[in-house]
Amino acid sequence: MRVLPFLLLLGLTACTGAPVYESPGSAPGSSGDVAGTPGSEADSGSAGAVGELVESSRTSRASGDYALALADIERAIRIEPRNPYLWLELGDIHLSRGDTGQAAAMARKALSVAGNDRAASAAAERLLERATAR
């Protein structure tokens, strides 16, 4: 029975697409820190798992449980490491905790994986500005 969890994990990590995530309280295309882009090509299974982790992280963050919020986003990043929006979520959590150095580092990571995604790059630049302004 130990093979089943491994196979599930293997299936989740095979995904190469990057789904869209919105920052808490923002609408698609708004000026939120994690602005979305249309046309996600992510596997629906991993996108669902990652989406649940993002929502769980946001709930934990809202209640002040930053350790759990960080753990959930870090798990999502292990599933989709090239998703700039997850790195932005992680940076926002670090910024909420007052860790501006880590927030800036996550913004730079988001920039490095954003590629041609202008919305992700712009959100990463805004996060970097907020992190370095403190």
Side-chain angles (χ1 to χ4, degrees):
M1 288 317 275
R2 290 181 179 222
V3 175
L4 184 59
F6 174 75
L7 290 176
L8 289 174
L9 180 61
L10 183 62
L12 292 175
T13 58
C15 171
T16 59
V20 178
Y21 299 105
E22 303 296 328
S23 64
S26 70
S30 73
S31 61
D33 296 324
V34 186
T37 57
S40 171
E41 298 177 11
D43 173 83
S44 62
S46 67
V50 169
E52 288 177 19
L53 287 166
V54 169
E55 288 306 312
S56 176
S57 174
R58 289 177 179 171
T59 300
S60 298
R61 180 178 168 195
S63 69
D65 189 347
Y66 296 116
L68 186 55
L70 286 170
D72 284 339
I73 285 299
E74 288 169 351
R75 285 172 54 204
I77 288 172
R78 283 194 297 275
I79 296 169
E80 293 184 12
R82 303 222 22 101
N83 183 331
Y85 299 101
L86 296 177
W87 292 102
L88 291 168
E89 288 278 341
L90 183 57
D92 278 336
I93 295 167
H94 283 298
L95 195 59
S96 294
R97 295 176 61 228
D99 191 344
T100 57
Q102 279 295 95
M106 298 307 102
R108 289 184 193 98
K109 178 63 178 183
L111 276 171
S112 76
V113 298
N116 294 328
D117 187 336
R118 286 192 260 172
S121 294
E125 290 289 345
R126 287 190 301 273
L127 175 60
L128 187 57
E129 287 173 12
R130 289 189 351 248
T132 56
R134 290 185 174 191

